[in-house]
Amino acid sequence: MSETSTPAEGSRHLPSELHSPRVPGKVSTDGLEETWGQRWEEEGAYAFDRDAQRHEVFSIDTPPPTVSGSLHVGHVFSYTHTDTIARYQRMRGKAVFYPMGWDDNGLPTERRVQNYFGVRCDPSLPYDPDFTPPHTGGEGKSVKARDQVPVSRRNFVELCERLTVEDEAQFEALWRRLGLSVDWSQTYQTIGPRARTVAQAAFLRNLARGEAYQAAAPGLWDVTFQTAVAQAELESREYPGFYHRLAFHVTDAQVAAQAAAAGAPVEDGPGGTRDVCIETTRPELLAACVALVAHPDDERYQPLFGATVTSPVFGVEVPVLAHPAAEMDKGAGIAMCCTFGDTTDIDWWRDLDLPLRAILRKDGRIETEVPQWITQEAGRQAYAAMAGKTAFSARQVVVEALTASGEMRGEPVRTVRQTNFFEKGDKPLEIVTSRQWYIRNGGRAWTNPASGRDLNAELLERGRELAFHPDFMRVRYENWVTGLNNDWLISRQRFFGVPFPVWYRVGADGQVDYDAVITPEESALPVDPSSDPAPGYTEDQRGVPGGFVGEVDIMDTWATSSLTPQLASGWLTDEDLFARVYPMDLRPQGQDIIRTWLFSSVVRANLEFGALPWASTGLSGWILDSDHKKMSKSKGNVVTPMGLLEQFGADAVRYWAASARLGLDAAFEESQIKIGRRLAIKILNASKFALSMGIPWDADEEARAAAPAPRLDASQVTEPLDRAVLAALADVVEAATTAFDSYGHARALEVTESFFWTFCDDYIELVKDRANDAEGTHTAGAVRSARTTLALAVDTFVRLLAPFLPYATEEVWSWYRTGSVHRSAWPEAAPLRQAAQGADPTLVSQAGTVLAALRRVKSEARTSQRTPILSAVLEVAADYEPAVEAVRSDLVEAAKVTGSFSVKVAGAVQGADVATEPVDSGIAAADSPDTGATGQDAEAGSSHGEVPVRVRSVELDEAPARPARSTT
């Protein structure tokens, strides 16, 4: 190890020179974020090197946070994980491409704009260039829909853009304070011009290759947000309801008798009918019933298959059919199929080629016009009574009619059922038929022409190629892909998002021909068909016969977020950057969006490039509250991070986050953050102590400036204890490096922190007198060995801990070095191990155990640790005896032994456990009361049974007077 750090040719490390230690009189973590954050920005510490070739780059597909709300501590948790990896790779010599995006489109932003400005979008209104919103800020309260001022789509989008810019600035300020080593010149928005260009170009290419298509089909619909919902956005929740038992009338008495004889629950109705009863929680959809369905193997209903029944109240004749998805053991084993009550109805409707009889509108209300398939006057009157009502009100009307006619058997039975919700919605999803855009994702059978393989099998193979960290998360990806039952619905009936770049021709009869799609050239992107005319047309041809209409839907937020690897890398907009960073190295993200963000990104990259967009993915767990429940805004149990950063400091919060392993949930505990603060302060204190050796406490500025720079020449380390420290440091460096290389940041922190405390509590206590050499009683070589070891340890620890505690480590680095620890080289184990010359690393902890036993005698006697020991007899395990002899002089001096000091070997002593308290180096320690005492049989050792060290006898002198001031 040299006295200066000169990067090798081609290295991205910055040069660093040692200088006289400039240690502050009092250390503190306060204010470090402002000091170093500003310095890093001014010096471009984290700027990406645009000259780096792809093999020299480590690129990160940073998750773009949704800026439509406030950050919570869960964001700090996962983004800290990513930042530790970025900092490590930078210290390993990589040119780290670490961008930041902002996910600012979609429903969350729209809802926030509605409440913040008190407006709602009405696409029928003209644009008002002078519009001023009625509110600004909303004082944190929701503005009721009836009080929201309607505005044009363009006005609404402008307000969305205005608010997201404000939110992004707040998010960036918090990320900077946390210490994320992001290159802030590399940012993007998921709805900015660049994002619209990339998303629209990718879609047009999907369309040209047959990977994107439109279809009119039944799909899940949120009546509150008035938009279609994709399978990946579903959330199954419990929803209370009632089972209603309804009587359908068998039209053929002979068939009814045969069914009864076969065991079917055929009943006699009050009007002389022969009835089959079904159970349903959706009686309001009775008018949309198209069949009764039972399992083909159910012998009870086989006589009814092919026959017909008439529906209660509405009197519509429908067939009884067989389908293997019917459940024989559920209820009566027969169910009604409506268009549509749930996804099973869709399967039956499609498989059995049933008619479409939809009665539910997109706003969740019943169609107002009486359907033509209801022909009986009583049925038409019953329908008219519920027309235009919500599903809930219509249910009440139908139940009353069923009760009055006697066609509801028994009382409704309360139940709780699992129902699909939109993940951001609060009402159960309905199923309506509409025209939507889809991208093939393996949910329906399709052979990829580019590879000749089934797309689903191809995507499963991509999952096997991707390195999951942790690996057990891979099964979630595979389960999702194998469980898909439809292609990816990507269109949304909203306003703030990336528009589909398509128009449709209008026929001479004025009808829109949705099969006649008009697309632009890629060079014309981005476009907005709602305001831009179609290629080859003029604006005055919009909506007229022989003209065009623009697509009004926008892309789902995942349809744009799925392209973040390409968007961040400069695809189509910066091909030079793209060649240097793509495919990327890492996709960090939450485990809960494997099915959405990760999978959709794999789909888009596979269709466009036939390969994965990154090599690895790191998946963070959830943050749990004190009751071990997942933190979420909807549950109201989130903790906002800014207060924590201000109270404890960024390093402390980062320590808590980095202590959690990938893939595992972690409880939010302030106590863990306090440990992180203690560690950050200890780094400052221990480093100050180690770097101040040989400098008088009262030295003036001139004397301090003349002091020599710390020695980092490992060949100067000659003492057994010092070499043992280097051996232990080599082990730590190897373990931390191995952990980081496999994305085990928490393990790297664990091994580093563990030995750091051993270094402070054991080594510093043992060596401080020799290193200080206040009395000049030590040989020059022994003093030099101690001081060099202390300096090497500090220099190694600050680099090992730099990814986790960037502020405290940068502060220490500045005391004795130029440059930045974050642009320095990661420590290497080989030079340390070579300098250790085969020393046993356990010598440090063994010597510390012996010292703790001697100090315990003083603690139990309630006397100062400076009290001399006149004589002592130790009994130690056989494997400890060489260690004691190797460090005898340091032990005697550290324990203040002034008389005889004998050691007897007795093997491991069996006895009661006696825990030893860590003894501070004197940096901030308070001495025990000064009393003279004697003691015996003090034990120190492991926490389970065997005690390798026992003080058999000891004689203590009287405690000396406390000195007026410490020399350090």
Side-chain angles (χ1 to χ4, degrees):
M1 295 183 181
S2 62
E3 295 295 300
T4 61
S5 174
T6 304
E9 186 176 353
S11 170
R12 282 166 186 80
H13 299 133
L14 296 181
S16 176
E17 294 184 358
L18 293 167
H19 57 72
S20 299
R22 294 288 193 273
V23 179
K26 182 180 180 180
V27 302
S28 173
T29 59
D30 297 339
L32 295 184
E33 292 89 349
E34 291 78 9
T35 298
W36 291 112
Q38 182 177 353
R39 182 81 63 85
W40 293 334
E41 178 66 20
E42 291 172 352
E43 297 178 353
Y46 308 125
F48 175 64
D49 182 359
R50 286 293 298 254
D51 293 329
Q53 299 302 306
R54 181 62 192 88
H55 69 278
E56 301 172 307
V57 170
F58 186 87
S59 53
I60 302 171
D61 183 15
T62 317
T66 302
V67 299
S68 56
S70 59
L71 286 166
H72 59 78
V73 76
H75 292 99
V76 169
F77 180 72
S78 57
Y79 281 79
T80 298
H81 296 171
T82 305
D83 192 61
T84 62
I85 299 297
R87 290 180 177 277
Y88 168 72
Q89 291 291 342
R90 195 177 287 113
M91 295 178 76
R92 293 289 279 175
K94 291 288 189 179
V96 174
F97 180 68
Y98 189 9
M100 180 59 71
W102 308 112
D103 189 5
D104 43 17
N105 66 13
L107 292 171
T109 300
E110 290 188 19
R111 296 186 76 176
R112 179 158 157 72
V113 166
Q114 288 171 348
N115 290 325
Y116 192 88
F117 293 116
V119 299
R120 60 182 172 84
C121 184
D122 184 346
S124 66
L125 295 178
Y127 173 66
D128 180 1
D130 300 318
F131 176 75
T132 301
H135 303 286
T136 301
E139 298 180 355
K141 300 177 181 178
S142 297
V143 179
K144 294 182 179 180
R146 66 172 178 268
D147 298 327
Q148 294 171 352
V149 175
V151 297
S152 71
R153 174 172 175 167
R154 184 175 171 185
N155 284 121
F156 189 80
V157 169
E158 287 180 352
L159 291 175
C160 290
E161 293 172 338
R162 170 179 159 184
L163 187 58
T164 54
V165 169
E166 296 175 9
D167 289 341
E168 287 163 13
Q170 296 178 19
F171 275 48
E172 181 176 334
L174 189 140
W175 283 149
R176 286 178 179 271
R177 187 179 182 98
L178 182 63
L180 296 191
S181 57
V182 164
D183 180 355
W184 290 104
S185 68
Q186 301 289 344
T187 61
Y188 65 88
Q189 299 170 311
T190 58
I191 199 172
R194 186 155 55 101
R196 293 199 299 271
T197 297
V198 168
Q200 291 182 342
F203 170 80
L204 290 175
R205 295 184 181 198
N206 292 140
L207 182 63
R209 294 191 295 259
E211 299 153 1
Y213 64 93
Q214 58 177 329
L220 295 165
W221 185 270
D222 188 285
V223 298
T224 301
F225 292 106
Q226 293 284 288
T227 186
V229 176
Q231 183 179 352
E233 298 170 308
L234 301 185
E235 190 173 282
S236 181
R237 305 177 195 165
E238 290 187 344
Y239 191 73
F242 292 87
Y243 272 119
H244 303 80
R245 193 163 181 266
L246 312 185
F248 281 74
H249 315 305
V250 182
T251 56
D252 188 321
Q254 183 176 357
V255 169
Q258 293 172 349
V266 177
E267 303 176 3
D268 292 327
T273 59
R274 297 284 281 167
D275 302 336
V276 171
C277 293
I278 62 94
E279 294 179 353
T280 181
T281 59
R282 302 294 305 271
E284 70 275 16
L285 297 180
L286 183 58
C289 180
V290 290
L292 296 189
V293 181
H295 196 279
D297 295 337
D298 195 331
E299 296 179 353
R300 297 173 298 172
Y301 297 108
Q302 287 177 352
L304 287 175
F305 294 151
T308 61
V309 295
T310 57
S311 61
V313 176
F314 300 104
V316 178
E317 189 170 340
V318 297
V320 181
L321 302 173
H323 194 283
E327 300 176 82
M328 289 189 284
D329 56 352
K330 183 176 180 180
I334 191 168
M336 73 171 180
C337 174
C338 302
T339 53
F340 298 95
D342 56 24
T343 54
T344 301
D345 284 341
I346 298 176
D347 295 335
W348 289 347
W349 168 77
R350 183 180 291 120
D351 295 347
L352 299 174
D353 196 22
L354 296 168
L356 178 63
R357 293 176 178 172
I359 64 169
L360 198 64
R361 300 190 318 218
K362 292 180 179 179
D363 61 0
R365 293 180 177 271
I366 303 298
E367 292 280 4
T368 55
E369 187 175 344
V370 178
Q372 59 183 359
W373 62 82
I374 302 177
T375 57
Q376 294 184 9
E377 185 58 31
R380 295 179 68 82
Q381 291 179 4
Y383 185 92
M386 67 173 186
K389 295 184 180 296
T390 64
F392 178 82
S393 298
R395 185 180 310 144
Q396 293 178 312
V397 171
V398 174
V399 168
E400 290 174 0
L402 288 163
T403 302
S405 67
E407 291 170 308
M408 186 170 74
R409 305 293 163 80
E411 294 295 321
V413 178
R414 188 180 299 275
T415 185
V416 175
R417 57 194 173 98
Q418 289 296 124
T419 307
N420 285 327
F421 284 75
F422 178 35
E423 59 188 2
K424 296 180 176 66
D426 54 13
K427 290 184 178 180
L429 293 174
E430 299 292 356
I431 296 175
V432 299
T433 300
S434 58
R435 182 184 57 83
Q436 304 289 343
W437 281 102
Y438 297 84
I439 287 180
R440 301 188 190 278
N441 69 347
R444 304 182 71 176
W446 187 71
T447 300
N448 186 353
S451 63
R453 301 182 59 196
D454 175 73
L455 181 57
N456 188 276
E458 196 169 69
L459 294 172
L460 283 171
E461 180 60 29
R462 292 283 177 255
R464 287 187 281 270
E465 295 171 3
L466 181 62
F468 281 80
H469 302 282
D471 187 69
F472 66 78
M473 286 290 178
R474 186 188 311 275
V475 70
R476 299 193 182 188
Y477 175 92
E478 294 177 344
N479 288 344
W480 175 253
V481 178
T482 55
L484 287 168
N485 55 33
N486 203 357
D487 282 332
W488 179 16
L489 171 68
I490 63 165
S491 49
R492 293 294 181 272
Q493 292 65 50
R494 301 301 299 173
F495 315 112
F496 189 53
V498 176
F500 283 93
V502 296
W503 298 260
Y504 307 99
R505 289 189 174 87
V506 178
D509 58 358
Q511 296 298 309
V512 178
D513 184 358
Y514 289 106
D515 292 327
V517 179
I518 305 170
T519 59
E521 296 292 331
E522 280 192 16
S523 59
L525 301 177
V527 297
D528 185 352
S530 69
S531 56
D532 298 331
Y537 292 82
T538 57
E539 183 60 32
D540 58 6
Q541 292 178 281
R542 185 184 295 273
V544 300
F548 71 94
V549 295
E551 175 62 81
V552 296
D553 288 353
I554 62 171
M555 295 184 194
D556 165 35
T557 183
W558 294 116
T560 52
S561 296
S562 62
L563 296 166
T564 56
Q566 295 80 12
L567 178 56
S569 300
W571 182 55
L572 302 181
T573 60
D574 189 340
E575 291 299 331
D576 176 76
L577 177 65
F578 187 67
R580 297 180 191 279
V581 304
Y582 189 92
M584 306 184 89
D585 292 279
L586 175 65
R587 154 62 72 80
Q589 64 164 72
Q591 59 174 317
D592 53 328
I593 51 175
I594 292 174
R595 61 191 172 90
T596 47
W597 192 32
L598 188 144
F599 173 65
S600 63
S601 299
V602 172
V603 170
R604 302 304 290 276
N606 182 70
L607 293 175
E608 185 64 39
F609 303 103
L612 287 169
W614 356 260
S616 301
T617 179
L619 300 156
S620 296
W622 287 334
I623 292 300
L624 309 178
D625 63 13
S626 56
D627 295 325
H628 290 270
K629 295 179 180 177
K630 178 190 174 186
M631 278 193 179
S632 67
K633 295 177 185 177
S634 61
K635 294 180 180 179
N637 62 349
V638 299
V639 176
T640 55
M642 186 56 80
L644 295 172
L645 294 173
E646 292 172 348
Q647 180 180 0
F648 299 107
D651 282 348
V653 176
R654 288 174 62 100
Y655 170 85
W656 158 75
S659 298
R661 300 173 188 270
L662 286 178
L664 300 181
D665 299 339
F668 172 74
E669 296 177 352
E670 274 197 11
S671 59
Q672 190 76 358
I673 297 177
K674 292 177 181 177
I675 293 173
R677 181 172 175 81
R678 176 172 173 250
L679 176 62
I681 293 173
K682 191 68 172 182
I683 291 169
L684 298 175
N685 274 321
S687 299
K688 174 185 176 181
F689 182 82
L691 295 171
S692 299
M693 290 295 98
I695 302 176
W697 65 267
D698 57 352
D700 58 22
E701 185 61 28
E702 183 178 356
R704 290 182 180 276
R711 290 178 178 271
L712 297 181
D713 181 2
S715 66
Q716 300 297 310
V717 178
T718 56
E719 297 298 305
L721 180 60
D722 303 338
R723 286 178 171 174
V725 169
L726 299 190
L729 276 174
D731 288 345
V732 171
V733 170
E734 282 186 353
T737 304
T738 299
F740 260 129
D741 284 343
S742 58
Y743 296 91
H745 63 267
R747 175 59 181 163
L749 174 58
E750 179 185 9
V751 297
T752 302
E753 182 191 9
S754 177
F755 184 65
F756 175 74
W757 286 112
T758 298
F759 169 78
C760 293
D761 297 338
D762 294 342
Y763 178 72
I764 287 181
E765 290 302 315
L766 286 161
V767 81
K768 64 182 181 181
D769 290 315
R770 172 161 53 96
N772 210 13
D773 194 30
E775 304 297 329
T777 57
H778 303 84
T779 67
V783 174
R784 187 166 52 248
S785 177
R787 293 179 181 177
T788 302
T789 303
L790 287 168
L792 283 168
V794 168
D795 197 62
T796 303
F797 277 125
V798 293
R799 286 183 285 163
L800 287 170
L801 291 168
F804 311 103
L805 309 168
Y807 292 109
T809 53
E810 187 77 306
E811 175 72 5
V812 170
W813 187 268
S814 72
W815 293 347
Y816 70 103
R817 274 187 178 274
T818 61
S820 169
V821 66
H822 305 297
R823 295 299 301 274
S824 68
W826 183 255
E828 297 288 341
L832 293 168
R833 197 171 302 287
Q834 181 179 2
Q837 296 190 15
D840 183 358
T842 63
L843 177 60
V844 181
S845 60
Q846 289 177 330
T849 299
V850 176
L851 178 61
L854 293 169
R855 290 195 157 198
R856 176 168 295 281
V857 171
K858 299 179 184 182
S859 296
E860 292 177 347
R862 299 184 60 78
T863 188
S864 168
Q865 291 299 329
R866 290 180 286 108
T867 301
I869 296 177
L870 300 178
S871 65
V873 177
L874 268 63
E875 189 175 73
V876 300
D879 60 333
Y880 265 62
E881 194 268 341
V884 175
E885 294 304 325
V887 299
R888 173 181 282 268
S889 60
D890 287 327
L891 266 175
V892 166
E893 192 166 18
K896 303 294 186 286
V897 179
T898 59
S900 64
F901 180 66
S902 60
V903 179
K904 298 180 179 180
V905 177
V909 181
Q910 299 294 324
D913 296 343
V914 178
T916 58
E917 297 178 358
V919 181
D920 198 274
S921 64
I923 300 166
D927 290 331
S928 301
D930 293 338
T931 58
T934 61
Q936 60 184 18
D937 281 0
E939 300 170 346
S942 69
S943 59
H944 300 286
E946 291 188 353
V947 182
V949 177
R950 174 173 290 161
V951 181
R952 280 303 186 188
S953 67
V954 65
E955 181 183 358
L956 300 178
D957 198 355
E958 291 187 4
R962 184 187 298 271
R965 187 168 186 176
S966 169
T967 59
T968 56

